[in-house]
Amino acid sequence: MKELLIVWHSQFGGTAQMAEAARDGATAMELVTVTYRHAREAGVDDLLRCDALLVATSENFGSLSGITKDFFERVYYPCEGRVEGKAYTVIVCAGTDGTGAMVQTDRIARGLALRKVHPGIVCTTGVTARRQTIAADVLARCRDLGALLAGGLDAGMF
């Protein structure tokens, strides 16, 4: 069975809601194994084993969250040259923009030669450094993204 790895970090809850929705969409398909790891706990073995990667991160100070960046720093060199062509996409939860986190994640993924299979989702909440509730339509898009990744893996598209 193919495996989707969801690596996430959330400081104020918004990204966690989005990552959970993507996980729920992927697991509802019952087509692939879904591994759901906080970025602090995810590692080299997870990335090597999976067939696709979904990164869910907040944007902090216009950039990728530090804990998500730490995940990439820990796995980058041990996985370099060993994960080429694996599918990936990104979910970003941001207060005002989200572009910086998406660009930085894409840059790291390009260095690993991962293949972006969906443009990703950026949710701008207008809320910075506080608990937040993500709108139902955004969560539905995240669920759909999880289902799309699971379906694409099952069908051999990714």
Side-chain angles (χ1 to χ4, degrees):
M1 186 176 273
K2 296 215 175 173
E3 180 177 349
L4 170 62
L5 172 62
I6 300 174
V7 174
W8 65 278
H9 169 69
S10 184
Q11 190 167 357
F12 295 102
T15 310
Q17 294 166 57
M18 295 170 71
E20 289 165 7
R23 179 198 60 203
D24 293 348
T27 57
M29 300 294 289
E30 299 181 0
L31 301 172
V32 300
T33 299
V34 178
T35 302
Y36 186 75
R37 296 257 194 277
H38 189 278
R40 192 177 12 249
E41 299 164 357
V44 171
D45 291 339
D46 295 311
L47 187 56
L48 291 175
R49 185 182 58 245
C50 76
D51 299 289
L53 170 66
L54 172 60
V55 177
T57 186
S58 57
E59 181 174 73
N60 297 349
F61 300 109
S63 186
L64 180 65
S65 80
I67 293 173
T68 306
K69 186 172 182 287
D70 173 73
F71 160 74
F72 280 120
E73 289 173 349
R74 287 183 287 107
V75 303
Y76 190 91
Y77 291 110
C79 292
E80 188 178 33
R82 300 171 70 189
V83 295
E84 290 95 349
K86 285 191 182 193
Y88 88 97
T89 194
V90 186
I91 290 173
V92 176
C93 183
T96 59
D97 183 38
T99 307
M102 184 67 75
V103 167
Q104 189 173 20
T105 304
D106 287 344
R107 183 176 297 136
I108 294 165
R110 273 193 309 277
L112 287 168
L114 299 175
R115 179 172 52 108
K116 194 164 190 181
V117 297
H118 184 278
I121 296 171
V122 175
C123 171
T124 54
T125 64
V127 175
T128 304
R130 299 191 311 253
R131 293 289 301 161
Q132 52 198 286
T133 301
I134 303 301
D137 65 311
V138 174
L139 295 178
R141 289 176 48 218
C142 293
R143 274 189 297 283
D144 290 347
L145 180 57
L148 175 100
L149 291 171
L153 282 171
D154 183 62
M157 295 171 52
F158 312 137

